[in-house]
Amino acid sequence: MKKNIDRNYLEIYSLNELVEPECPTKEYVVSLIDPPDFQLNKFFYKTIGKKHRWVDRLIWTEKQWIGYTTNKNVKTYILKKADDLVGYFELIIHQENNEIEIAYFGILEEYHNKKLGSFLLTNAIKKSFMFSPKRVWVHTCSLDHKNALKNYLSRGMKIFKTETISI
């Protein structure tokens, strides 16, 4: 049975366009994973992606995960509350276009409905602009969290392309 999925591509060109939410308590911290740890990426991908049909990386070997996470153009950041993992995002630096892609982004289910998605997205956009790109972009689809598109739009991102695909 085929299912139609709506996909939206969004972009932001400047930190001046960013609409920041109220920050949660200071107990939440976003940090770069350095050195890279493919096990963290794999954990978040599988755990968050399970409900949203993230399937393309499920077949990756350990070597593929290591190759991806150690690529100098891939940066992974995690959100923690004390020692607890909360969420993550991956940035891909597209040097040829001077762009940053927010490749994967998510919050673990037990931390949903705490306004942490807007906090984490704000951090993803701010961290992206540290690389001085001409734009930051992301895509989301109707399989993602019900508030995903609203979050991107609320942070000041604008849709630049839409499409419907069948899976």
Side-chain angles (χ1 to χ4, degrees):
M1 181 172 146
K2 291 213 177 239
K3 179 176 181 172
N4 285 340
I5 306 301
D6 296 322
R7 189 182 304 170
N8 292 287
Y9 294 80
L10 300 100
E11 64 191 357
I12 189 168
Y13 282 90
S14 164
L15 277 178
N16 294 331
E17 298 172 25
L18 177 63
V19 178
E20 292 192 53
E22 275 188 44
C23 290
T25 62
K26 295 197 185 304
E27 60 192 341
Y28 292 97
V29 177
V30 175
S31 55
L32 175 67
I33 300 304
D34 189 21
D37 180 352
F38 82 93
Q39 294 287 11
L40 277 172
N41 292 69
K42 188 175 179 180
F43 164 76
F44 279 118
Y45 180 86
K46 285 182 162 187
T47 306
I48 294 169
K50 186 176 10 178
K51 289 189 100 172
H52 306 293
R53 290 202 187 162
W54 295 358
V55 296
D56 54 321
R57 295 184 184 177
L58 294 178
I59 60 170
W60 279 13
T61 64
E62 191 170 287
K63 185 177 179 180
Q64 286 173 298
W65 277 104
I66 292 169
Y68 174 76
T69 58
T70 59
N71 181 314
K72 67 180 178 62
N73 292 321
V74 174
K75 306 293 180 197
T76 302
Y77 293 82
I78 60 168
L79 174 61
K80 291 176 87 174
K81 178 182 181 185
D83 290 330
D84 293 339
L85 296 172
V86 175
Y88 89 126
F89 59 88
E90 295 174 0
L91 303 180
I92 300 176
I93 302 165
H94 296 283
Q95 292 179 336
E96 67 281 1
N97 299 332
N98 190 26
E99 298 177 344
I100 304 288
E101 175 186 359
I102 302 172
Y104 282 90
F105 173 93
I107 302 284
L108 295 172
E109 193 167 7
E110 57 268 32
Y111 288 95
H112 285 188
N113 303 314
K114 298 180 186 302
K115 306 284 186 200
L116 295 172
S118 57
F119 173 73
L120 188 59
L121 179 57
T122 297
N123 273 270
I125 292 169
K126 285 180 170 182
K127 301 285 187 205
S128 295
F129 278 109
M130 289 173 48
F131 297 96
S132 302
K134 70 177 182 185
R135 76 173 180 154
V136 176
W137 66 276
V138 66
H139 69 79
T140 189
C141 74
S142 51
L143 293 174
D144 288 339
H145 187 277
K146 63 183 173 120
N147 294 330
L149 181 59
K150 179 182 170 191
N151 188 21
Y152 295 123
L153 292 169
S154 295
R155 301 291 67 78
M157 299 187 91
K158 306 278 190 267
I159 296 172
F160 70 91
K161 178 181 171 184
T162 60
E163 62 187 4
T164 300
I165 57 173
S166 290
I167 61 168

